[in-house]
Amino acid sequence: MSFFDAFSWVNVRFLLDGLWVTIEVSVLSIVFSFIFGALLGTLRFSKIPFASRIVGIIVDIIRNLPLLLIIFFTYFALPQIGIRFDIFWSAVIALTIFESAMLSEIFRAGLNAVPKGQMEAGLSTGLSYVEVMRSIVIPQAFRSMIPAIVSQLISLVKDTSLAIIIALPEFTHNAKIIYGQNSNYVIPMYVALTLGYFVICYLLSLLSRFLETKRYSY
């Protein structure tokens, strides 16, 4: 049996369907986790009494839990208290929760890396704390955070494969279905998975390099 027999039109279409689900989950999770991660990181940096401490505890707990456990929790545990999501949204929510916690630390570290004199100088000109954060601190911090953020987002794309545990019909899941029907297709499917994830993650790494170049051009 030829290596290329595994790539019949039916199998290729099935793989592409799974790849599209992976992309959808990745994009939604990236958008949501970026928003929540930025909010949580900024909140921790601002050191608002009580609120910052509570957020810090929650973030530390989530960061030290396996993502697989969070996926299990959103899909199997939440329905026990009346909160139900389908497989797709369970995966998106689990990834968002986990990645928001990871990104929040990147944002907080980036903000802390900005010299305190920048904040003091901005406040001395009569700007409010929010205005200084928006116009001075965050733009400077974001440029230094780009490599770490993109690296974390690349990890997010790869982590979508863990949703196979709840039978999300994503890229890895569909490849497993194909080689489960014919053991001769194991190697071709792993080659397809390797190429698929490599292309997506490599494109993100190229984006990181482009943004890095733009950063140093300012």
Side-chain angles (χ1 to χ4, degrees):
M1 183 173 291
S2 170
F3 176 91
F4 295 101
D5 288 340
F7 298 102
S8 65
W9 171 240
V10 173
N11 288 348
V12 169
R13 186 172 61 181
F14 192 55
L15 278 176
L16 291 176
D17 287 342
L19 181 60
W20 179 246
V21 172
T22 292
I23 293 173
E24 285 184 313
V25 171
S26 297
V27 170
L28 288 172
S29 300
I30 285 172
V31 172
F32 293 146
S33 60
F34 186 87
I35 293 171
F36 290 120
L39 291 174
L40 293 173
T42 303
L43 182 59
R44 292 194 69 185
F45 170 80
S46 300
K47 295 181 175 61
I48 299 174
F50 186 71
S52 294
R53 183 176 294 274
I54 295 298
V55 169
I57 292 172
I58 294 173
V59 166
D60 287 339
I61 290 174
I62 294 173
R63 288 176 64 239
N64 289 284
L65 292 177
L67 174 55
L68 196 60
L69 179 62
I70 299 175
I71 293 174
F72 272 129
F73 180 80
T74 56
Y75 189 66
F76 293 111
L78 288 182
Q80 301 299 315
I81 58 175
I83 303 175
R84 298 181 182 276
F85 300 102
D86 61 21
I87 294 174
F88 180 88
W89 285 106
S90 292
V92 171
I93 291 170
L95 285 165
T96 298
I97 291 172
F98 184 77
E99 297 299 336
S100 292
M102 304 300 287
L103 286 173
S104 72
E105 284 299 283
I106 294 175
F107 276 98
R108 185 170 72 95
L111 292 170
N112 281 326
V114 177
K116 294 183 179 179
Q118 297 290 315
M119 173 66 74
E120 295 169 355
L123 293 174
S124 67
T125 63
L127 295 175
S128 67
Y129 180 84
V130 174
E131 290 173 332
V132 174
M133 286 291 292
R134 184 180 68 245
S135 304
I136 300 175
V137 177
I138 291 178
Q140 292 184 61
F142 184 72
R143 292 171 191 157
S144 66
M145 291 186 279
I146 290 173
I149 290 174
V150 175
S151 177
Q152 190 60 45
L153 297 183
I154 289 173
S155 295
L156 185 156
V157 173
K158 293 182 287 188
D159 286 343
T160 59
S161 62
L162 292 175
I164 191 175
I165 201 67
I166 57 174
L168 177 72
E170 44 77 50
F171 198 30
T172 303
H173 172 274
N174 286 10
K176 183 179 179 182
I177 294 295
I178 293 172
Y179 71 68
Q181 296 173 345
N182 189 326
S183 59
N184 292 315
Y185 293 167
V186 173
I187 293 178
M189 288 302 101
Y190 275 106
V191 170
L193 287 172
T194 300
L195 291 174
Y197 284 115
F198 172 79
V199 169
I200 296 174
C201 295
Y202 186 65
L203 289 175
L204 284 174
S205 67
L206 289 179
L207 173 63
S208 175
R209 294 176 191 175
F210 172 75
L211 294 176
E212 276 282 277
T213 302
K214 297 293 287 185
R215 182 183 77 172
Y216 289 117
S217 67
Y218 292 138

